[in-house]
Each structure stands twice: as structure tokens, then as C-alpha cells.
Amino acid sequence: MRSIPFRRGLRAAFLAMLLPALFACETVNTTQGGAIGLNRPQRMLISSQEMVQAANTEYAQLIQQARQKGELNRNPAQLARIRSISERLIPQTAVFRPDARGWNWEVNVLSAQEVNAWCMPGGKIAVYTGLLDKIQPTDDELAAVLGHEIAHALREHARERASEQAVAGMGISILAAVVGAGDAGQKGMEYAYQGLRGLPNSRSQETEADRIGVELAARAGYDPRAAISLWQKMANVGGGEPIAFLSTHPSAGDRMQDLSAYSQRVMPQYEAARQRR
């Protein structure tokens, strides 16, 4: 058995190598609080510009592939519907990020059976026909989907996850080298990190996206309570739910409770938007 002084020395060596990366992280809050009162500082190692550049490259490749396969914007009515809802949501992003209105937003529909939608860093949105066909969402529910995905981009969750993974990767590699762990030992550390830090952070990001999404929808004149029925439909399509501790999404019960509370919080914004329309 190794002595306590050895372990202390090991810990000191590990910290000495990892601390420069930690100090290189920038503490930011990517969005303003809005009516939901969001105020969680974020630690970023990777720059926003790097994430947008990477996203633009990935987006261009995906769109080119979809175009070549004839899977891009095949149904004009579906595309017009998604773009119409997006055009009402996008101006509301200024509540959280004034700069977001100037992003180069693009909205497309991809023909695929997957029940999915996304918004990449910088405002590139795609909705899959599988979501439209299998969920059969109302406009209010679609606003909840799009608001949720836009929220991920506003909060730069992809940048936050990449920054966290970069720091964790450095730490795991350094620690594995210091203790002489082989590939199996390093893989075990990676799994431990995901269970203890990675996945819970992903769940918190999903909750933030839910809350911002209902406010964006409410301010655009869409009923924020539709987020509840949307995720109920999602759960039914998804079949059996994974164990909450191992899921990157909140449990269905937790999500419904939170959405119920926050949709009520933004009802004044919804009523005000309805009166203006």
C-alpha cells in the first residue's frame, strides 16, 4: 500500500499540471436572465469563434449531403411552417442575447425518420421530418421544440461541453500518466468522469434550454404550456425511459414539473404577446 505522503505528492503533481488549463478557462454568463431569472456562470476554455467555425463547417457538410440525397426541404408547406414559427421566435432571442438577432440564421427541414431537431452555434436550425410525422406537433408545440433548440445555441452549451471535455481530457491523460494507468485504467477514469460530472451537467443544460424555450415561445405569442404536451408526446414515441441517473435528459416527471412551473412564470409575456398580435 502506498503511503499518504506519496498520494499527497501525486495529487500536488497532478494539480500543478492541470491548474494552467483551469486558469485558462474564462468565466462567462452567455445570456441575460430573462423573466425566468437564469443566472448560472459558465467556464469556457474554447472560444465562441472556434465553436461557430466548427459548427459552420459541420453544417455545410450536412446540408450538402442532404441536398445530394434529395432530403433537403422537400416539402414546401413544411418548410414554410417551420420558417414562419422561427421568424417569430428569433427576434425574441434579444431578451437573452442582444447579439443573437444579428446571427446568420438559417432554417431547413431534413427528410429523415429520426425524431430530432437542432440549432447549431450561430443559428443554423434543422427539423427532421420524423419529428413532424411521428409527433404531429401543433404550432405551439413546434415553438417549444424550436425554442428549446435555439436556447442551446444562445447558452452556447456545445461550447461549454467542449470546454469541459477538453479540461477533463487533459486531467485524465495527466493523471493516467502520473499513476501509470494503462488504457483500461484511463477508460475507467473517463467513465467515472461521465457519471459524476459529465451527465449531470448535460441534464442541467437541458433544463436551462427548457426554461429559455418556454420564454421564447411565450414572447412570440405561442402558448408556453404546450411544452408539457410536447415532451409527453416525445416520451411516448421514445418508449421505455432510461434510468434518470444515466440519462443526459431530466426524468419525465422532473421535466413536466419544471415545465409546468416555468410556463406559468412566463404567462404574462404570453398574454402580452397575444394582445399585440
Side-chain angles (χ1 to χ4, degrees), residues 119-173:
C119 180
M120 287 189 177
K124 303 298 189 288
I125 298 171
V127 176
Y128 290 27
T129 53
L131 185 149
L132 301 174
D133 297 338
K134 296 177 184 179
I135 300 296
Q136 294 289 310
T138 65
D139 283 2
D140 291 321
E141 290 170 342
L142 268 178
V145 172
L146 292 167
H148 176 95
E149 298 305 326
I150 289 170
H152 281 306
L154 296 177
R155 282 292 284 171
E156 299 190 55
H157 283 153
R159 177 187 169 201
E160 185 177 19
R161 289 195 304 274
S163 296
E164 180 182 319
Q165 289 166 5
V167 172
M170 292 179 202
I172 290 169
S173 297

Side-chain angles (χ1 to χ4, degrees), residues 103-123:
W103 289 358
N104 185 22
W105 294 89
E106 293 184 23
V107 182
N108 293 286
V109 177
L110 304 181
S111 295
Q113 291 301 305
E114 187 177 351
V115 178
N116 196 18
W118 42 258
C119 180
M120 287 189 177

Side-chain angles (χ1 to χ4, degrees), residues 59-74:
Y59 173 76
Q61 292 174 350
L62 287 171
I63 293 301
Q64 180 63 22
Q65 290 171 3
R67 183 179 288 112
Q68 290 174 346
K69 295 177 181 178
E71 297 173 349
L72 179 66
N73 301 328
R74 291 172 57 181

